[in-house]
Amino acid sequence: MARQPEIWPPLLTPFLENGEIDFDAIQGLVDFYVARGVSGLLVTGLSAEPLTMNDAERAAVIRAAVRAVAGRVPVAASVFCKEGEGWPEAIARVRAIGGVDCAVLLTGHLVAEGESDEAFLACLEAIIADSSGDLGLYEAPRPYKRLISDRALACAAESGRFIFLKDTCCDLARIKSRIEIVGGSRLKLMNAEVATFRASFKAGADGFCGLMANVFPDMLERAATEETDALSLLLTAGDMALEQSYPGSAKALLSENYGVGLTSFSRVLGRLTTRSDCTGLFALDEYFNRYQKTR
């Protein structure tokens, strides 16, 4: 049987129109993804708008997602430090929620912008020594984007503690080098860029964890394994359409076209998103529906 990619949507956070978290809608959203055969879910990634939440809200979202998943797929959750808290304590706090399979560290949060790779490596080694459980890394773009060095990646892989990397380098040559570095370890490389996803999977990457997984997880899996590049190229073009008014665009499509019971409100945008705000995304969805009927 041909190797299949792992698809991990970075779970959206549903909000009511007044901006409060819609915890009831998390169940329907999770069910939508599980029904489409996703391999796992990343909770409180940046698609979830975690920087608009306080610590209690982030913890509540993780708990709600774990309840909704009910053990059907693994759950990874991003870790955020409280003021005056160390990373081992923050990791332990997230793991204490229960049901979190992997605590994910945002690389741009571990050390300040401009600090050396030696400082980053020292932080990573301290986390490995002073915490427990499986860990992940995410090259998130905020507060600043820090790409992990080869040396730090090798340290993470060799530790046996890291099982997840959300790769945002957008550089196929670098991804191929990273695949070699983590080869034989527990660490799985999840590409976040649609444009390089198909090629990276062919080169040995494990899967995808990016924006498009929130709306077309099944199409991404097909794009990685089909004989031609046609679907992959279409998804790449669609990624630009999705980014218009994201994450509201994804919520609008899921609500209007897939019956997922959530509003399109985004705290980051401060408003609802309508079909007219993302016409290209809705057009792409119509094409995919026709595409599926011909296959």
Side-chain angles (χ1 to χ4, degrees):
M1 183 177 177
R3 187 171 69 99
Q4 297 295 310
E6 294 194 20
I7 307 297
W8 286 62
L11 192 70
L12 303 162
T13 300
F15 295 106
L16 300 171
E17 292 189 15
N18 64 3
E20 294 181 3
I21 298 170
D22 185 355
F23 291 102
D24 292 337
I26 291 176
Q27 182 70 61
L29 188 59
V30 167
D31 289 342
F32 170 83
Y33 294 128
V34 172
R36 278 155 181 77
V38 303
S39 304
L41 294 170
L42 172 62
V43 185
T44 56
L46 292 194
S47 288
E49 306 174 72
L51 301 181
T52 70
M53 303 179 201
N54 58 37
D55 293 314
E57 287 178 318
R58 286 192 289 263
V61 166
I62 295 171
R63 281 194 293 270
V66 167
R67 285 196 302 270
V69 168
R72 292 177 289 175
V73 296
V75 173
S78 297
V79 177
F80 297 85
C81 266
K82 295 180 180 180
E83 186 175 353
E85 183 180 47
W87 286 110
E89 292 76 24
I91 291 166
R93 177 166 48 81
V94 169
R95 297 193 65 83
I97 293 171
V100 175
D101 299 283
C102 177
V104 178
L105 306 167
L106 280 62
T107 55
H109 287 211
L110 296 184
V111 294
E113 187 171 9
E115 286 203 55
S116 67
D117 189 52
E118 285 72 19
F120 182 90
L121 190 59
C123 180
L124 202 62
E125 290 172 338
I127 289 170
I128 292 168
D130 298 334
S131 67
S132 62
D134 288 336
L135 299 169
L137 292 164
Y138 170 18
E139 295 173 325
R142 289 185 292 276
Y144 75 98
K145 183 170 178 175
R146 187 181 189 103
L147 298 181
I148 188 169
S149 70
D150 289 352
R151 187 169 60 154
L153 181 60
C155 173
E158 290 166 7
S159 74
R161 294 281 307 286
F162 285 83
I163 64 171
F164 183 96
L165 169 65
K166 182 169 178 177
D167 182 304
T168 69
C169 73
C170 305
D171 181 339
L172 184 58
R174 189 165 189 170
I175 291 171
K176 289 179 177 179
S177 174
R178 289 176 168 188
I179 291 168
E180 291 186 11
I181 291 169
V182 304
S185 75
R186 299 178 67 214
L187 200 159
K188 294 182 178 182
L189 190 150
M190 303 294 169
N191 194 349
E193 186 195 36
V194 175
T196 54
F197 169 50
R198 177 179 167 84
S200 70
F201 180 68
K202 285 177 173 287
D206 295 281
F208 184 86
C209 180
L211 309 191
M212 288 296 276
N214 271 324
V215 286
F216 301 122
D218 43 354
M219 290 293 101
L220 283 160
E221 183 174 345
R222 292 180 64 171
T225 55
E226 287 194 350
E227 293 183 1
T228 73
D229 291 334
L231 187 54
S232 180
L233 291 171
L234 191 62
L235 283 165
T236 300
D239 192 50
M240 292 183 284
L242 176 62
E243 288 179 3
Q244 298 296 315
S245 298
Y246 186 83
S249 54
K251 296 177 183 182
L253 183 71
L254 293 174
S255 175
E256 293 190 37
N257 284 14
Y258 291 92
V260 180
L262 75 168
T263 78
S264 64
F265 188 86
S266 160
R267 282 187 182 177
V268 168
L269 300 175
R271 59 173 172 82
L272 294 165
T273 297
T274 66
R275 179 186 286 259
S276 62
D277 294 321
C278 44
T279 54
L281 181 62
F282 278 84
L284 180 67
D285 186 56
E286 291 176 9
Y287 177 86
F288 280 155
N289 287 331
R290 294 196 300 271
Y291 182 91
Q292 288 178 306
K293 291 176 182 177
T294 62
R295 294 294 188 275

